[in-house]
Amino acid sequence: MSAPNKSYDPVEVEALKPEQIARMRDEALAAIAAAGDLAALHEVKVAHAGDRSPLALANREIGALPPHAKADAGKRVGGARGEVKRALGIRQEELEAERDERVLVEEAVDVTLPLDREPAGARHPLTTLMERIEDIFVAMGYEVAEGPEVESEWLNFDALNIAPDHPARTMQDTFFVESAATDDDQSGVVLRTHTSPVQIRSMLDREPPVYVICPGRVYRTDELDATHTPVFHQVELLAVDEGLTMADLKGTLDHMVQSLFGEGMTTRLRPNYFPFTEPSAEMDMECYVCRGASVGDPDRPCRTCGSEGWIELGGCGMVNPRVLTACGVDPEKYSGFAFGFGIERMLMFRHNVEDMRDMVEGDVRFTRPFGMEI
Ligand code: PHE
């Protein structure tokens, strides 16, 4: 404590009185002790050791003192500032140690935890079934051909021998994107109702022989229910070459069902009508579950084929010469066969899927049990 000095200006030196300095120091030390984390300590540092802190401001007053009082006040203020600085340093270390301790606990990685708890997704069985069918034909030398889902009315209908007033046009309830401008104009745009326009595109793009398999999404104005969906998938096959006959079509179908459903499976053809094939047929495959044993045997009913012995697959036939001509293929020289069927239907009987809505909802609980066919 300095001796009383008459030349002290009481206003200027108020901040330098020993008890004032002690109060500032004690306040600073209390605040430092109370700082609970590093952010709080930083604020304490600014408030009590920063340029505008009470002790720093007191320090500035020293310059205004008479020389004999400077040393005394300087020692007092310097001592208090030193104590505050040390206390800050110690608290800083304590809080850093606490933080490090906490981070080590909170962010600890348990290397013994299993890695595979993330549920894996699954490819949709429609995709894998479609690829499986493609593979069967790619192995036989067929090419995979694709076309747009928004298709010209001409390619979807007219080139396939389905004229504007053709009754078959109403067989396929069509989503129109753009109507034809006039009745005999064929320039409307539709969501394709079948994959058959890809037959036309393939023949227009290539010189025969043509061997293509066309998988894809198609649209019809059906309501979504257990057995219908307005968006579904078809696979269509087209072969155009010299000397192709109905026997080639039958052999190709048998090969496909044997690859998909097992050795010895057969198909049968029933007469039908499609404008783009002549003759046309409905194709059935033998029921791969009962192999016909359920027919006429009430004790052994078969759910897969409804005890019919046969399962309806889709349509087929020899490409109508008018379609060949429309695509610039000489029907005198070349003939062709085609077939098309729905993938959803095949998935339903191949895997006992009972409700078509399960296929469109994209719930992984439906897709996962089909496994991971690559
Ligand atoms: N495109 C026909 C349909 O969707 C199926 C079919 C394809 C029929 C090829 C014969 C030949 O109904």
Side-chain angles (χ1 to χ4, degrees):
M1 206 202 268
S2 60
N5 186 319
K6 290 208 174 73
S7 64
Y8 266 30
D9 178 341
V11 177
E12 273 187 359
V13 296
E14 179 65 21
L16 291 171
K17 282 188 181 154
E19 57 277 17
Q20 286 290 18
I21 299 296
R23 187 184 54 76
M24 291 173 196
R25 181 202 60 202
D26 291 346
E27 276 176 15
L29 294 179
I32 290 166
D37 57 32
L38 289 165
L41 187 65
H42 179 74
E43 277 175 29
V44 171
K45 192 174 177 180
V46 172
H48 293 278
D51 288 347
R52 307 206 54 80
S53 65
L55 280 170
L57 295 177
N59 197 46
R60 284 196 213 159
E61 303 289 336
I62 296 172
L65 293 177
H68 59 272
K70 269 187 184 159
D72 190 30
K75 216 152 95 197
R76 209 158 45 236
V77 175
R81 294 182 88 196
E83 258 182 85
V84 170
K85 201 172 160 207
R86 262 192 313 282
L88 274 171
I90 291 167
R91 190 72 187 132
Q92 176 88 14
E93 272 178 32
E94 280 171 7
L95 290 173
E96 276 175 5
E98 262 175 40
R99 179 203 54 197
D100 293 350
E101 186 90 354
R102 199 178 55 245
V103 165
L104 279 179
V105 174
E106 279 173 5
E107 296 179 12
V109 175
D110 183 351
V111 291
T112 66
L113 280 178
L115 295 171
D116 51 1
R117 285 281 165 87
E118 263 310 272
R123 301 187 75 208
H124 200 283
L126 285 173
T127 311
T128 45
L129 181 55
M130 226 152 39
E131 288 179 1
R132 180 176 267 245
I133 295 165
E134 283 166 31
D135 285 349
I136 294 170
F137 292 102
V138 167
M140 291 168 76
Y142 281 76
E143 222 184 299
V144 177
E146 286 178 321
E149 290 169 24
V150 179
E151 187 57 284
S152 83
E153 212 175 333
W154 187 80
L155 287 165
N156 193 79
F157 290 123
D158 303 87
L160 287 156
N161 195 32
I162 320 177
D165 58 349
H166 199 292
R169 203 121 157 180
T170 55
M171 275 164 46
Q172 305 192 346
D173 295 319
T174 311
F175 284 113
F176 277 86
V177 176
E178 232 171 72
S179 301
T182 60
D183 276 355
D184 50 10
D185 181 4
Q186 303 149 356
S187 63
V189 178
V190 298
L191 293 183
R192 66 179 178 190
T193 57
H194 49 181
T195 38
S196 303
V198 189
Q199 284 189 31
I200 306 299
R201 288 178 175 272
S202 303
M203 284 190 274
L204 290 173
D205 281 358
R206 296 166 178 77
E207 288 299 314
V210 175
Y211 287 90
V212 289
I213 173 95
C214 324
R217 196 174 290 146
V218 300
Y219 303 81
R220 291 185 197 176
T221 57
D222 282 322
E223 293 291 333
L224 179 65
D225 64 25
T227 52
H228 296 86
T229 152
V231 185
F232 58 104
H233 297 77
Q234 284 190 335
V235 167
E236 178 126 348
L237 177 135
L238 170 72
V240 178
D241 207 338
E242 286 179 50
L244 291 181
T245 70
M246 208 91 179
D248 298 300
L249 165 62
K250 177 78 165 69
T252 308
L253 286 173
D254 284 350
H255 175 74
M256 178 180 79
V257 295
Q258 283 166 18
S259 306
L260 285 171
F261 294 92
E263 285 296 306
M265 290 283 303
T266 55
T267 55
R268 75 172 181 188
L269 303 182
R270 286 178 291 120
N272 196 11
Y273 170 76
F274 295 106
F276 33 92
T277 45
E278 184 57 39
S280 302
E282 200 71 31
M283 53 190 188
D284 297 341
M285 60 174 245
E286 199 185 342
C287 174
Y288 68 101
V289 176
C290 73
R291 295 277 176 123
S294 68
V295 183
D297 185 351
D299 295 335
R300 299 176 64 187
C302 177
R303 280 175 61 206
T304 305
C305 64
S307 301
E308 294 279 327
W310 295 93
I311 301 168
E312 199 179 305
L313 262 190
C316 63
M318 299 306 290
V319 181
N320 192 319
R322 297 184 63 160
V323 174
L324 294 177
T325 307
C327 298
V329 176
D330 179 2
E332 297 296 323
K333 189 169 177 209
Y334 294 103
S335 58
F337 63 82
F339 62 77
F341 57 87
I343 303 297
E344 277 80 357
R345 244 186 69 74
M346 185 178 275
L347 193 70
M348 283 182 105
F349 60 74
R350 195 169 184 258
H351 295 279
N352 294 322
V353 178
E354 282 178 356
D355 197 322
M356 230 176 228
R357 286 167 288 198
D358 288 335
M359 297 183 202
V360 294
E361 277 166 2
D363 189 327
V364 77
R365 287 171 299 181
F366 169 74
T367 48
R368 211 186 286 124
F370 289 91
M372 261 305 172
E373 254 180 71
I374 306 288

